[in-house]
Amino acid sequence: MTTAPAPAGRALEPTDIRGRVAELHSIREQALAGPGGRATAAQHAKGKLTARERIELLLDPGSFQEVEQLRRHRATGFGMEVKKPYTDGVITGWGTVEGRTVFVYAHDFRIFGGALGEAHATKIHKIMDMALATGAPLVSLNDGAGARIQEGVSALAGYGGIFQRNTRASGVIPQISVMLGPCAGGAAYSPALSDFVFMVRDTSQMFITGPDVVRAVTGEEISQNGLGGADVHAETSGVAHFAYDDEETCLAEVRYLLTLLPQNNREAPPAQPTADPAGRRGEVLLDLVPADGNRPYDMRRVIEEIVDDGEFLEVHECWARNIICALARLDGRVVAVVANQPQVLAGVLDIAASEKAARFVQMCDAFNIPILTLLDVPGFLPGVDQEHGGIIRHGAKLLYAYCNATVPRISLILRKAYGGAYIVMDSQSIGADLTLAWPTNEIAVMGAEGAANVIFRRQIAAAEDPEAMRHKMVKEYKSELMHPYYAAERGLVDDVIDPAQTREVLVKSLAMLRSKHADLPSRKHGNPPQ
């Protein structure tokens, strides 16, 4: 092979095509290897995988196509000019999950701690633009130390470009943020703008100001995990939708979620064949839900009996547990389930539950996922903290989300449905396409005891035996206004069904609603309550 003198600081360059190809492979090997075995060992020692190992777990084998692998930063100063690794600390590209295209970017913590600089940000911008242009989901594998300090304001501008693209893609393509390491400061806002946030316990954290700043400003001592770890955000703040013990399980669940979502807002979620008969009777349901409205039960057992093979993916499982939000399949087709959970706080709606369900309903409406609402709700949670915390404003978020949703909507009243909570939980009056009920339903302004105390207070107070009179009046109120067919007789419930036939009725109803088309008034956008 003939060679020519090389420029200063670089090896002799080949002059024929084979030499050029050999050089390309050599450079590619450097890019794929990254900073070397020592850095990789340090990453593994923290219990974390490398960026490329994560991508391999996320995507179908051999499907990843990398973009801008040879990109390098052009910053100078602070020794940056002599440290210019390929990829610049982020790996971008596309591949497939179950054969469907997915775009991905993954921070490489081994390079500059995964910190974002100008070139790093430009790569992310490009892959986000490609995802939006082609109408395919975007998954970010986050493991970075924030903005690259050596590049100053250029790094901050890079975050602005990401946030703008997150917002533009919102409701158009699914955006999933997977937290696999630290995420501090402004970097935390990109996950907050996405549709779903996954976290891994012990190794991932999210916070705006870290423990050191908290200590300096407030004097409070707290660890990184205590401030912004996976369980904190999954149980307390509601920032994380899912939390897992290890990266392998986490990424497997991301793959599963993607199979339940459409590629974009112009498509329906993918259907799958099922061996679970559409007409399967659910005799177990007759025993799962007690007729006594004061007795709790696990609503998840009800969902298991209704959906295909008893399988569903619960979103925000550990936050606001008095309401359940889940994705499942009925007769092979994806459906969203919003359900009160009588086992927690008797299934009441409060601030957190309203926010959780409202965001879920909005996501489902954006991505053409029909919504099934299972009601057993005694009302909104009373209390000074709730009122001062803005339960009116937060409850209105759920009301707005349902009223604004144009996807097929079916509500099923299992037992209690009282007051404003009944209206908010997708009642017929706010646009539910079908409203069904079990024979155990009780729809009313409030519980019979409370209603009797208000309506018949004078008779009760004047009676020789007030307790006997109260009992009589409660029974009378129930028989007149709270019997299972009161709402059906007035057209507020479309049908009262046998609980054992619930699955069959829902499958047929959703099949009928599949061609539903509804238009919202022409407007720039609504102004939902905040």
Side-chain angles (χ1 to χ4, degrees):
M1 180 178 70
T2 59
T3 58
R10 186 167 180 183
L12 293 176
E13 295 183 349
T15 57
D16 67 352
I17 185 62
R18 287 181 176 79
R20 294 288 186 180
V21 171
E23 181 187 41
L24 170 63
H25 288 309
S26 175
I27 292 172
R28 228 180 258 298
E29 286 176 9
Q30 292 179 46
L32 290 171
R38 190 172 180 180
T40 300
Q43 180 83 343
H44 289 165
K46 296 174 185 174
K48 300 197 294 183
L49 300 174
T50 66
R52 294 191 184 278
E53 288 169 340
R54 290 162 175 165
I55 291 173
E56 287 177 5
L57 285 174
L58 173 67
L59 301 176
D60 295 337
S63 69
F64 182 57
Q65 297 292 315
E66 192 167 351
V67 175
E68 293 196 352
Q69 183 186 69
L70 306 184
R71 189 69 179 261
R72 299 199 285 185
H73 72 77
R74 55 187 179 182
T76 58
F78 309 102
M80 293 291 286
E81 60 274 6
V82 297
K83 193 175 182 182
K84 302 178 71 171
Y86 292 114
T87 74
D88 199 45
V90 64
I91 299 168
T92 58
W94 77 88
T96 60
V97 172
E98 300 293 329
R100 299 192 302 154
T101 300
V102 172
F103 287 83
V104 61
Y105 69 85
H107 299 132
D108 191 340
F109 193 83
R110 302 172 303 163
I111 298 175
F112 300 129
L116 181 138
E118 181 189 25
H120 183 121
T122 303
K123 289 182 64 175
I124 294 175
H125 295 168
K126 180 169 185 173
I127 213 67
M128 294 179 79
D129 290 341
M130 292 175 71
L132 186 58
T134 58
L138 174 72
V139 178
S140 63
L141 305 180
N142 298 270
D143 186 5
R148 197 174 296 171
I149 298 172
Q150 298 92 325
E151 296 193 33
V153 71
S154 296
L156 295 179
Y159 275 122
I162 293 173
F163 303 156
Q164 183 189 49
R165 287 166 173 81
N166 283 135
T167 304
R168 194 187 313 154
S170 180
V172 181
I173 58 172
Q175 299 180 81
I176 300 174
S177 295
V178 188
M179 316 312 296
L180 301 166
C183 184
Y189 285 114
S190 179
L193 290 169
S194 60
D195 299 301
F196 298 96
V197 176
F198 287 73
M199 294 188 75
V200 176
R201 294 184 177 92
D202 298 328
T203 57
S204 64
Q205 303 88 27
M206 295 174 67
F207 36 69
I208 298 300
T209 55
D212 293 342
V213 176
V214 170
R215 186 185 309 111
V217 175
T218 69
E220 296 173 287
E221 293 283 347
I222 193 166
S223 66
Q224 286 196 348
N225 279 322
L227 182 63
D231 287 328
V232 168
H233 287 309
E235 298 174 14
T236 305
S237 73
V239 170
H241 299 77
F242 306 96
Y244 298 100
D245 291 331
D246 57 78
E247 294 189 19
E248 291 84 357
T249 303
C250 180
L251 293 170
E253 290 299 299
V254 174
R255 284 179 58 89
Y256 179 49
L257 173 60
L258 285 166
T259 68
L260 296 168
L261 300 175
Q263 290 292 91
N264 53 63
N265 64 342
R266 299 184 301 276
E267 299 181 8
Q272 291 184 354
T274 178
D276 196 346
R280 169 174 56 80
R281 288 181 61 83
E283 301 292 346
V284 176
L285 293 172
L286 297 170
D287 301 314
L288 277 180
V289 180
D292 181 356
N294 295 318
R295 288 179 58 193
Y297 62 93
D298 189 351
M299 183 66 83
R300 288 173 298 186
R301 295 282 309 283
V302 175
I303 298 172
E304 286 175 1
E305 284 298 317
I306 294 173
V307 302
D308 291 356
D309 304 311
E311 293 182 1
F312 62 91
L313 178 64
E314 189 169 350
V315 179
H316 269 141
E317 179 181 359
C318 298
W319 180 57
R321 294 184 301 113
N322 42 321
I323 200 161
I324 296 170
C325 297
L327 294 171
R329 279 191 165 86
L330 268 172
D331 199 28
R333 295 184 179 271
V334 177
V335 64
V337 180
V338 179
N340 307 111
Q341 173 57 294
Q343 211 170 45
V344 179
L345 294 175
V348 297
L349 287 177
D350 59 4
I351 289 173
S354 299
E355 285 196 340
K356 170 180 169 178
R359 184 79 195 283
F360 184 69
V361 168
Q362 287 177 172
M363 183 280 298
C364 294
D365 186 51
F367 293 118
N368 308 312
I369 302 173
I371 302 168
L372 167 63
T373 304
L374 304 179
L375 283 86
D376 191 346
V377 59
F380 281 94
L381 181 65
V384 174
D385 289 345
Q386 289 290 308
E387 296 294 345
H388 289 186
I391 185 62
I392 297 172
R393 177 167 50 88
H394 293 285
K397 293 179 184 179
L398 180 55
L399 179 60
Y400 186 99
Y402 270 124
C403 289
N404 204 46
T406 60
V407 294
R409 292 155 47 191
I410 300 175
S411 63
L412 172 62
I413 302 157
L414 278 62
R415 212 168 52 169
K416 301 183 300 295
Y418 295 162
Y422 153 64
I423 300 172
V424 167
M425 290 288 292
D426 206 17
S427 62
Q428 188 184 92
S429 60
I430 66 168
D433 297 297
L434 283 173
T435 304
L436 307 171
W438 284 1
T440 46
N441 81 83
E442 292 182 356
I443 306 173
V445 175
M446 63 177 68
E449 288 77 7
N453 286 337
V454 172
I455 298 172
F456 306 114
R457 62 183 181 277
R458 291 181 180 175
Q459 294 95 315
I460 293 172
E464 292 183 8
D465 187 343
E467 278 305 311
M469 178 61 73
R470 180 180 288 107
H471 180 75
K472 177 185 176 183
M473 292 297 101
V474 167
K475 187 175 180 180
E476 182 178 325
Y477 183 84
K478 280 187 174 182
S479 65
E480 288 293 324
L481 297 177
M482 290 181 66
H483 63 79
Y485 308 101
Y486 183 85
E489 290 169 0
R490 284 152 183 80
L492 297 174
V493 166
D494 293 299
D495 198 9
V496 179
I497 64 172
D498 178 351
Q501 292 180 301
T502 299
R503 175 178 166 83
E504 179 183 6
V505 172
L506 291 175
V507 167
K508 289 180 178 178
S509 299
L510 287 169
M512 177 273 295
L513 289 168
R514 203 166 294 145
S515 59
K516 175 188 174 183
H517 177 75
D519 289 319
L520 292 172
S522 176
R523 58 184 174 184
K524 187 175 182 180
H525 56 73
N527 185 24
Q530 299 295 324

